[in-house]
């Protein structure tokens, strides 16, 4: 039953894509290096009429082999472009294509996170530069799939709600003056596509601030971001700020806050002896 | 051309709701019901009347098992130093066959029903006797999916192996159908009829010592045959092929390696890689695990993301092992979540 619905949905999406392909074949713009049937639909959905270019300066990294289709590590790095206004990540063949949008006010155009994949798909990142051009990078991710239609691990635990919002993390000062932080927020990130009728329930916004309140980056997330979102970002903390504050909100209006110490002492490496030698 | 239609009989065994935990712990995690999808594809194909003609096997798949003699009355079938693919049909693990007066004893049964059938035939050809004992070293599918041709009571494994098969066997089967395709046709999970503990068992003139250890998985059986001195280490030992860690606990794995090092073996048969008279497999496996621990910890402590950690340099001796980078990447995905849970402090409730 679940397969049938999913197949129908994907079929509909693919057919729409095909229809659009013929309709927009004359729209111009460079052809998709990943040769995806969904490209024209993706272009229209995310860029509209804006101009775009496929650009190796936007790097998307995924592992060569996947084991857990609900937790695929992805790193998007557009630092080679310099100043970026917006960074959008999407997967052409996922049932929900939009994965996240990052607005790096005072942050590097860089984000690592984990992705659910429903089937093998292109995974792309598009960076909008000040001149209004989208720079698109991407890879084709081979996958067995099923990550979007499987229930969250939390759904196996009757008391999962007690830990929602629990956050762990750490920050490091980098030599280039940026502060890197990694954090993980407990949240089921339900897609609403599983067979057990659990509705969509996910963190939709993450605001990263300096300790004094200045917003450094905003991340809007969608269903394909994995359960217990685990992100890595780099921000430029205002002088004097010694902590990063992260305020998140899910689509039910729950709010979660975290404060990650980001002084130089917290950046000390606790390396095992064997590595230090 | 391979065809991918699994037997429809498998489909009836579907539990109504699957536990995603088992899948996430899986060697390979496929969350979609691959067999059901393929079965409906086969049904669709059946509706087109001309299709079955072309659906028939082009050429039957055959493993063509080649035994290597280890000692008098002892053989090993060497697995390919590769990942599971549609080319090798999952035949990547070493399988051992021992002759005894009372019948053949085998250790591990291979990746599929088809493999098991060829193995059963080969064991009979080599020993002239049926298989009276088939030992399973651990619950990973490349070792235990060839059980169907063997008598349930001949099949023996520690309780932890049986529990692992109960919990994850069906999900492993899905993954194996995806990875190996038609080689898996008709393969079903079989639970051994005999549970073994740390004990001895005599079969004919051979004296087996079973060591129930852990570290590669929650339950790893090593088999020491005292008469010949053969030590069949299962996946507690790898040689010249990078070890795999989807269910590993590194400290207990090291402890198990120490325990195996004390046995007076004449030859050690690792789970993957060549058999040797030296303890090289144990040393190399221990060194690899220590290297993993060091390099992945270092990357983690520097704040690298998983993808960044996957590109970390590894020493040249380690880089030379078959599948080194492939397994290093997998191990990053296995080990990182544990480090994140264990080493990061709580940072919520900022106003408290």
């Amino acid at each position: 039953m679940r397969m049938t619905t999913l197949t129908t949905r994907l079929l509909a999406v693919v057919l729409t894509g095909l229809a659009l392909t013929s309709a927009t074949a004359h729209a111009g713009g460079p052809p998709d290096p990943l040769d995806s049937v969904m490209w024209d639909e993706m272009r229209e959905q995310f860029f509209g009429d804006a101009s775009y270019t496929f650009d190796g300066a936007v790097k998307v990294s995924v592992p060569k082999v996947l084991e857990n289709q609900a937790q695929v590590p992805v790193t998007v790095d557009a630092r080679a472009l310099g100043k970026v206004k917006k960074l959008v990540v999407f997967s052409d063949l996922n049932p929900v294509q939009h994965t996240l949008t990052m607005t790096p006010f005072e942050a590097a155009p860089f984000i690592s996170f984990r992705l659910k994949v429903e089937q093998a798909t292109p995974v792309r990142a598009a960076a909008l530069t000040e001149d209004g051009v989208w720079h698109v990078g991407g890879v084709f991710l081979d996958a067995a799939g099923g990550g979007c239609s499987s229930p969250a691990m939390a759904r196996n635990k009757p008391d999962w709600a007690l830990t929602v919002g629990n956050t762990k993390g750490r920050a490091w000062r980098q030599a280039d003056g940026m502060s890197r932080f990694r954090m993980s927020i407990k949240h089921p990130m339900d897609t609403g596509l599983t067979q057990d009728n659990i509705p969509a329930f996910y963190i939709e916004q993450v605001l990263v601030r300096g300790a004094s309140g200045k917003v450094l980056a905003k991340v809007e997330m969608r269903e394909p971001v994995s359960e217990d979102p685990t992100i890595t970002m780099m921000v430029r903390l205002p002088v004097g700020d010694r902590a990063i504050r992260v305020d998140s909100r899910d689509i039910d209006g729950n709010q979660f806050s975290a404060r990650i110490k980001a002084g130089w002492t917290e950046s000390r490496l606790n390396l095992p002896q064997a590595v230090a030698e | 051309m391979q065809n991918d239609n699994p037997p429809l009989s498998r489909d009836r065994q579907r539990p109504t709701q699957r536990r995603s935990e088992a899948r996430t712990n899986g060697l390979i995690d496929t969350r979609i019901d691959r067999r059901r999808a393929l079965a409906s594809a086969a049904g669709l194909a059946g509706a087109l009347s001309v299709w079955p003609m072309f659906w028939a096997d082009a050429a039957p798949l055959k493993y063509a098992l080649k035994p290597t003699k280890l000692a008098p009355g002892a053989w090993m079938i060497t697995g390919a130093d590769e990942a599971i693919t549609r080319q090798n049909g999952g035949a990547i693990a070493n399988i051992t066959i021992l002759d005894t007066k009372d019948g053949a004893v085998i250790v591990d049964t291979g990746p599929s029903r088809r493999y098991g059938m060829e193995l059963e035939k080969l064991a009979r050809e080599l020993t002239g006797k049926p298989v009276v004992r088939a030992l399973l070293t651990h619950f990973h599918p490349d070792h235990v999916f060839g059980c169907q041709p063997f008598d349930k009571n001949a099949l023996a494994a520690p309780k932890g192996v049986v529990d692992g098969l109960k919990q994850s066997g069906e999900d492993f089967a899905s993954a194996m159908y995806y990875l190996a395709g038609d080689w898996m046709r008709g393969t079903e999970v079989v639970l051994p009829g005999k549970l073994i503990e740390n004990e001895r068992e005599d079969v004919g003139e051979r004296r087996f010592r079973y060591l129930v250890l852990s570290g590669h998985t929650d339950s790893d059986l090593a088999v020491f045959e005292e008469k010949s001195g053969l030590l069949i280490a299962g996946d507690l030992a790898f040689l010249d092929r990078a070890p795999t860690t989807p269910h590993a606990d590194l400290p207990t794995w090291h402890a198990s390696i120490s325990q195996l090092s004390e046995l007076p073996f004449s030859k050690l048969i690792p789970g993957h890689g060549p058999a040797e008279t030296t303890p090289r497999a144990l040393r190399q496996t221990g060194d690899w695990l220590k290297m993993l621990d060091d390099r992945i910890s270092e990357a983690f402590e520097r704040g690298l993301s998983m993808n960044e950690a996957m590109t970390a340099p590894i020493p040249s001796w380690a880089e030379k092992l078959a599948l080194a980078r492939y397994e290093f990447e997998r191990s990053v995905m296995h080990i990182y979540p544990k480090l994140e849970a264990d080493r990061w402090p709580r940072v919520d409730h900022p106003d408290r």
Side-chain angles (χ1 to χ4, degrees):
Chain A
M1 192 60 201
R2 172 173 52 125
M3 272 310 302
T4 319
T5 328
L6 188 63
T7 311
T8 315
R9 183 179 305 156
L10 284 177
L11 200 62
V13 167
V14 169
L15 289 176
T16 317
L18 288 175
L20 280 168
T21 306
S22 47
T24 57
H26 307 291
D32 173 23
L34 298 177
D35 200 21
S36 160
V37 292
M38 290 294 284
W39 172 248
D40 285 308
E41 154 69 14
M42 294 296 98
R43 183 182 58 71
E44 188 160 302
Q45 188 182 139
F46 295 105
F47 317 140
D49 292 329
S51 54
Y52 67 95
T53 171
F54 292 100
D55 191 339
V58 181
K59 285 201 288 285
V60 179
S61 309
V62 296
K64 282 196 275 300
V65 57
L66 293 194
E67 308 210 337
N68 189 339
Q69 321 290 324
Q71 294 274 350
V72 180
V74 177
T75 294
V76 172
D77 185 355
R79 284 177 292 175
L81 287 176
K83 179 86 180 141
V84 166
K85 286 167 73 178
K86 223 178 240 307
L87 189 60
V88 178
V89 183
F90 56 94
S91 314
D92 298 22
L93 299 179
N94 250 358
V96 177
Q97 289 113 13
H98 185 199
T99 304
L100 61 84
T101 296
M102 176 194 186
T103 314
F105 303 110
E106 288 294 333
F110 173 103
I111 187 164
S112 290
F113 64 98
R114 287 163 208 167
L115 170 73
K116 298 169 201 154
V117 283
E118 191 57 25
Q119 64 168 97
T121 175
V123 177
R124 308 192 200 247
L128 178 64
T129 43
E130 307 246 272
D131 55 3
V133 177
W134 288 96
H135 299 255
V136 188
V139 289
F140 188 84
L141 179 71
D142 190 15
C148 296
S149 53
S150 295
M153 300 266 291
R155 297 294 175 183
N156 289 331
K157 301 184 187 118
D159 58 349
W160 64 270
L162 298 177
T163 57
V164 166
N166 285 5
T167 306
K168 290 184 159 192
R170 204 184 145 186
W172 295 259
R173 290 273 180 165
Q174 296 186 162
D176 62 1
M178 304 290 278
S179 292
R180 171 185 279 252
F181 70 94
R182 304 194 63 224
M183 62 178 282
S184 172
I185 310 175
K186 274 275 182 202
H187 202 284
M189 299 296 283
D190 295 307
T191 59
L193 301 175
T194 58
Q195 63 186 336
D196 42 21
N197 291 326
I198 293 169
F201 177 51
Y202 57 89
I203 294 176
E204 60 175 352
Q205 182 176 280
V206 177
L207 272 184
V208 184
R209 294 189 167 96
S212 54
K214 184 179 183 188
V215 177
L216 309 175
K218 181 170 79 173
V219 182
E220 291 148 282
M221 292 184 183
R222 293 291 305 273
E223 296 92 323
V225 174
S226 299
E227 179 175 10
D228 302 339
T230 303
I231 56 176
T232 307
M233 288 171 62
M234 285 171 255
V235 292
R236 188 176 298 282
L237 276 178
V239 177
D241 279 12
R242 290 202 176 76
I244 297 163
R245 186 175 170 121
V246 183
D247 295 308
S248 315
R249 185 185 70 217
D250 68 26
I251 62 167
D252 282 10
N254 300 303
Q255 308 214 18
F256 314 108
S257 289
R259 186 174 179 278
I260 307 172
K261 287 182 189 165
W264 288 98
T265 36
E266 282 78 23
S267 307
R268 192 183 59 239
L269 294 180
N270 298 313
L271 295 183
Q273 203 58 42
V275 179
E277 73 194 10
Chain B
M1 186 186 140
Q2 292 176 4
N3 105 33
D4 287 328
N5 59 328
L8 293 166
S9 65
R10 292 190 59 80
D11 218 27
R12 281 188 268 111
Q13 305 170 351
R14 299 294 314 149
T16 48
Q17 186 171 353
R18 313 181 67 178
R19 309 287 290 183
S20 63
E21 187 154 4
R23 259 163 274 158
T24 307
N25 291 337
L27 175 69
I28 295 293
D29 188 5
T30 55
R31 292 192 168 217
I32 216 164
D33 186 343
R34 195 59 41 189
R35 285 159 292 156
R36 181 177 293 179
L38 292 171
S40 43
L44 187 67
L48 306 168
S49 60
V50 289
W51 186 247
M53 273 197 304
F54 302 101
W55 194 263
D57 282 338
L61 298 171
K62 199 168 184 321
Y63 286 102
L65 306 179
K66 286 188 194 66
T68 316
K69 195 155 189 178
L70 293 165
W75 300 266
M76 162 177 142
I77 303 158
T78 309
D81 283 338
E82 296 165 359
I84 295 164
T85 66
R86 287 180 184 228
Q87 283 68 50
N88 62 34
I92 61 167
N94 293 336
I95 310 294
T96 311
I97 302 171
L98 298 162
D99 188 18
T100 82
K101 278 188 289 208
D102 290 353
V105 174
I106 60 171
V107 183
D108 286 337
T109 61
S112 65
R113 174 175 174 271
R114 190 185 295 271
Y115 189 102
M117 286 170 69
E118 288 184 44
L119 175 63
E120 195 270 341
K121 189 158 161 280
L122 178 66
R124 243 184 310 114
E125 279 167 15
L126 290 171
T127 67
K129 298 165 206 126
V131 171
V132 294
R133 179 61 73 226
L135 299 158
L136 305 181
T137 58
H138 63 294
F139 78 127
H140 285 162
D142 47 333
H143 295 260
V144 297
F145 273 9
C147 289
Q148 279 152 287
F150 303 104
D151 183 69
K152 196 170 164 67
N153 294 315
L155 288 162
K159 183 170 182 300
V161 175
V162 179
D163 290 346
L165 278 171
K166 278 185 196 160
Q167 201 196 339
S168 308
E170 286 292 320
D171 292 315
F172 282 166
S174 293
M176 288 295 283
Y177 272 95
Y178 181 74
L179 292 170
D182 194 38
W183 292 93
M184 297 304 295
R185 192 195 300 205
T187 302
E188 293 187 18
V189 178
V190 176
L191 300 178
K194 180 179 161 63
L195 295 181
I196 52 185
E197 294 172 11
N198 280 307
E199 59 185 295
R200 290 167 191 277
E201 184 179 38
D202 294 348
V203 183
E205 72 281 26
R206 292 201 186 264
R207 291 174 59 79
F208 291 97
R209 220 168 112 189
Y210 301 142
L211 296 100
V212 180
L213 304 168
S214 61
H216 175 66
T217 67
D218 282 349
S219 183
D220 298 292
L221 173 69
V223 178
F224 184 50
E225 203 281 291
E226 293 178 346
K227 281 284 166 65
S228 60
L230 293 176
L231 171 60
I232 302 142
D235 277 4
L236 289 170
F238 284 68
L239 184 55
D240 299 337
R241 193 270 194 217
T244 68
T245 58
H247 304 94
D249 180 77
L250 303 190
T252 55
W253 195 342
H254 281 294
S256 295
I257 288 173
S258 307
Q259 218 176 318
L260 293 179
S261 304
E262 285 164 17
L263 294 170
F265 58 84
S266 60
K267 206 171 243 187
L268 185 148
I269 298 102
H272 299 261
E276 280 192 3
T277 54
T278 71
R280 205 163 66 91
L282 294 173
R283 276 207 304 269
Q284 194 187 74
T285 303
D287 289 348
W288 174 273
L289 298 179
K290 183 169 185 312
M291 182 280 293
L292 273 187
D293 207 2
D294 292 348
R295 301 286 161 134
I296 296 176
S297 280
E298 176 178 6
F300 177 81
E301 291 295 338
R302 288 188 189 283
L304 302 188
S305 70
M306 274 201 203
N307 305 92
E308 292 170 309
M310 285 175 191
T311 65
I314 60 176
S316 59
W317 67 263
E319 197 85 64
K320 286 193 193 98
L321 306 188
L323 294 168
R325 184 54 64 173
Y326 177 91
E327 293 300 345
F328 185 79
E329 283 195 6
R330 287 181 73 199
S331 293
V332 168
M333 289 187 277
H334 304 146
I335 294 172
Y336 245 59
K338 290 180 207 163
L339 296 177
E340 288 160 359
D342 294 347
R343 295 198 186 171
W344 282 345
R346 280 282 288 275
V347 292
D348 45 326
H349 304 300
D351 306 319
R352 193 168 64 187

